[in-house]
Amino acid sequence: KEMKRYRSFLTVLAEAKLGDCFEAAGRIMMKLPDEMEKAGMKCVHAFVYGEGKLKGRRFEHAFNKLGDVVFDNSNGKTVTMRKEAYFKQARINPKEKGAYVEYDKEKTMVNMLKYKHWGPWELNNALIEEIPDDKKEIGKKKLRISPKILQTIKDKVNGQI
């Protein structure tokens, strides 16, 4: 079972640049129950190194984290891994300036309202190491959030967080 999860994670890293990671991580925060918020669930935007066709390429990725457990629901996958293993495989360095940002529920939703897209919001674009050579390889960064969802977020921020 552990190996199956690991293979699923490798698939996520291979497809991440083409996928919906920012939207998937953001939606989790929007629907986050109070007890998960109080427990410390975060939305994380970070630079990762890809696998498969994207091996060696560094790009922005988003996932959720609670303590030392990572939840990555991008591209229709459900990956739950220990932070240590996830960070090692994706070569994530949380101390590298501009390469790693964590957001709580409120900050996630405030940024959605401010930027009107799912992310990334505060990663340093100068850290991207290789420009995609095919337009199809450009991920869905800064994917706009619909006005209806923005209104839902605004309502939550203004009264129910």
Side-chain angles (χ1 to χ4, degrees):
K1 186 174 179 176
E2 190 65 33
M3 195 55 161
K4 184 179 176 192
R5 263 196 233 135
Y6 180 73
R7 276 195 221 108
S8 184
F9 169 64
L10 293 180
T11 303
V12 165
L13 281 184
E15 297 173 354
K17 194 165 201 171
L18 312 172
D20 65 351
C21 61
F22 291 100
E23 182 177 357
R27 284 187 182 277
I28 287 198
M29 297 306 282
M30 283 177 59
K31 298 174 184 173
L32 196 65
D34 290 344
E35 57 272 10
M36 292 298 283
E37 180 181 4
K38 287 181 181 126
M41 179 70 94
K42 305 286 185 200
C43 176
V44 179
H45 292 178
F47 275 94
V48 300
Y49 285 89
E51 294 289 331
K53 292 180 195 173
L54 299 173
K55 187 168 181 74
R57 288 188 168 188
R58 192 173 195 203
F59 54 90
E60 304 97 329
H61 187 53
F63 53 90
N64 301 95
K65 183 175 80 70
L66 179 60
D68 69 343
V69 180
V70 169
F71 305 90
D72 189 337
N73 295 326
S74 59
N75 304 315
K77 306 279 189 287
T78 304
V79 174
T80 304
M81 285 179 74
R82 289 280 174 207
K83 174 185 150 188
E84 182 181 341
Y86 190 95
F87 280 38
K88 183 178 180 181
Q89 182 63 37
R91 294 168 43 198
I92 296 170
N93 179 358
K95 294 180 180 165
E96 184 182 357
K97 188 173 172 58
Y100 182 90
V101 187
E102 289 185 3
Y103 305 97
D104 62 14
K105 180 179 180 179
E106 183 175 13
K107 187 65 175 167
T108 298
M109 295 202 307
V110 165
N111 279 340
M112 288 176 186
L113 290 172
K114 179 179 177 181
Y115 296 103
K116 296 180 177 43
H117 63 76
W118 297 105
W121 304 306
E122 298 171 336
L123 293 177
N124 182 350
N125 286 332
L127 297 174
I128 298 173
E129 292 185 349
E130 189 172 330
I131 307 280
D133 52 14
D134 183 345
K135 254 190 171 355
K136 293 182 290 191
E137 292 179 358
I138 299 170
K140 296 178 183 173
K141 295 185 297 189
K142 300 186 180 176
L143 181 65
R144 296 193 61 75
I145 301 172
S146 74
K148 182 178 177 184
I149 292 174
L150 283 171
Q151 187 59 51
T152 301
I153 296 167
K154 190 179 280 187
D155 293 345
K156 285 183 179 186
V157 167
N158 288 335
Q160 299 153 2
I161 289 185

